[in-house]
Amino acid sequence: MQPLQFFDSHCHVDGPEFDVDRDVAMARAREAGVRAMIAIGAVGDISSAHRAVALATAHPNVWATVATHPHDVAAMTDAWWDTLRQLAAHPRVVAVGETGLDFYYDHAPRGLQHDAFVRFIELAREVDKAVVCHIRDAHAEAQAILRAHAHGLRVIIHCFTGSPDDARIYAEAGYYVSFSGIATYKTAGDIRAALAMVPHDQILLETDCPYLAPVPMRGRRNEPSYLVHTAAVVAAELGVTPQYLSQKTWANTLAAFSIADAPALDSV
């Protein structure tokens, strides 16, 4: 039987939470079958983007995204935007993101979130790369922005937390929908139900580590190796084998991020 080969489509292994054991955590991921990952350079200040690009440059099985999280857009300056535009063109950067709307925490004014989301979508179009969307308690608003501005772009709805109907709307628009460890939580019935709304060739898996560790690791720092626990729940909900889900989501991630040079399984 072919070994499982999972792709963590959204993780923050560049962050300070992994400074003491990053290499060990990445080795654990490979041993668990998580053979590739995308580091999201968008948390806090501009240093996150630099870290993610550096990590992707150093590791053949890591790619990067760059942007500014909606929590942090109020701090952005013209120089910050200029730096992100330059980094977005880097060959190891495969998407702009995570960007979007977070009306749950409202750490930045909603108008600024809206304007930054539109501007990042335009940047994704400028560099011809995907856009990774963070959407929390703002699905109707985000759907309107995406309809107006993201036509023709590859769109990833990261860490899906909406209703089954939201998942259907995203899927019908042709977007990829990514499921995190939240799908394993007892209270996340709607998110598991949303899986049925998304065609198998539009489903992605992610950890969003160090956040949102799945059951049975909940309460710990999340890491890429824990993706296998989320995959087991998603496969069971879909009524497919882990092998099928592994192959399908690996191919989906390559397509979503237009990655053509993923290392062979035995090389990573």
Side-chain angles (χ1 to χ4, degrees):
M1 180 180 296
Q2 183 177 358
L4 297 181
Q5 176 174 289
F6 287 109
F7 205 131
D8 187 349
S9 70
H10 191 111
C11 62
H12 299 277
V13 289
D14 63 287
E17 298 86 353
F18 289 94
D19 282 352
V20 297
D21 66 345
R22 184 173 293 107
D23 290 343
V24 173
M26 292 174 70
R28 276 197 297 267
R30 291 191 295 272
E31 291 167 5
V34 181
R35 301 294 181 139
M37 58 193 73
I38 295 177
I40 308 300
V43 175
D45 63 25
I46 195 69
S47 64
S48 176
H50 286 293
R51 291 195 309 265
V53 173
L55 191 68
T57 301
H59 295 274
N61 63 323
V62 180
W63 289 264
T65 75
V66 298
T68 299
H69 195 286
H71 288 344
D72 304 305
V73 294
M76 297 188 74
T77 64
D78 288 344
W80 189 326
W81 277 106
D82 289 343
T83 298
L84 288 175
R85 180 171 286 105
Q86 293 170 11
L87 290 173
H90 192 284
R92 297 297 294 174
V93 171
V94 291
V96 172
E98 59 188 285
T99 178
L101 305 175
D102 193 312
F103 292 175
Y104 178 81
Y105 285 108
D106 275 329
H107 286 331
R110 293 182 179 188
L112 290 181
Q113 293 187 50
H114 174 284
D115 293 348
F117 191 16
V118 171
R119 192 168 176 182
F120 277 125
I121 292 170
E122 292 171 347
L123 177 58
R125 191 178 302 282
E126 178 184 323
V127 296
D128 191 25
K129 294 180 181 178
V131 59
V132 177
C133 303
H134 171 107
I135 305 167
R136 188 165 184 190
D137 285 10
H139 289 280
E141 296 86 351
Q143 288 159 14
I145 292 171
L146 290 167
R147 280 194 300 270
H149 298 280
H151 180 72
L153 291 179
R154 286 168 284 113
V155 175
I156 296 97
I157 308 301
H158 122 80
C159 191
F160 178 75
T161 56
S163 68
D165 194 50
D166 289 320
R168 177 189 58 77
I169 291 169
Y170 293 131
E172 288 178 351
Y175 305 158
Y176 294 88
V177 183
S178 184
F179 293 86
S180 70
I182 295 174
T184 70
Y185 299 171
K186 185 182 299 184
T187 57
D190 275 357
I191 292 175
R192 288 188 291 275
L195 282 160
M197 302 293 108
V198 185
H200 290 186
D201 60 1
Q202 291 170 247
I203 293 175
L204 304 182
L205 298 175
E206 65 171 272
T207 58
D208 199 17
C209 67
Y211 322 108
L212 305 176
V215 174
M217 302 300 184
R218 198 169 182 187
R220 305 185 190 184
R221 179 199 68 177
N222 200 5
E223 61 178 68
S225 65
Y226 295 173
L227 186 68
V228 297
H229 300 291
T230 300
V233 170
V234 170
E237 186 69 26
L238 292 173
V240 301
T241 65
Q243 288 75 18
Y244 170 89
L245 186 67
S246 162
Q247 294 166 13
K248 180 62 71 173
T249 54
W250 180 275
N252 293 350
T253 309
L254 297 181
F257 292 94
S258 193
I259 295 172
D261 58 342
L265 177 62
D266 60 2
S267 71
V268 295

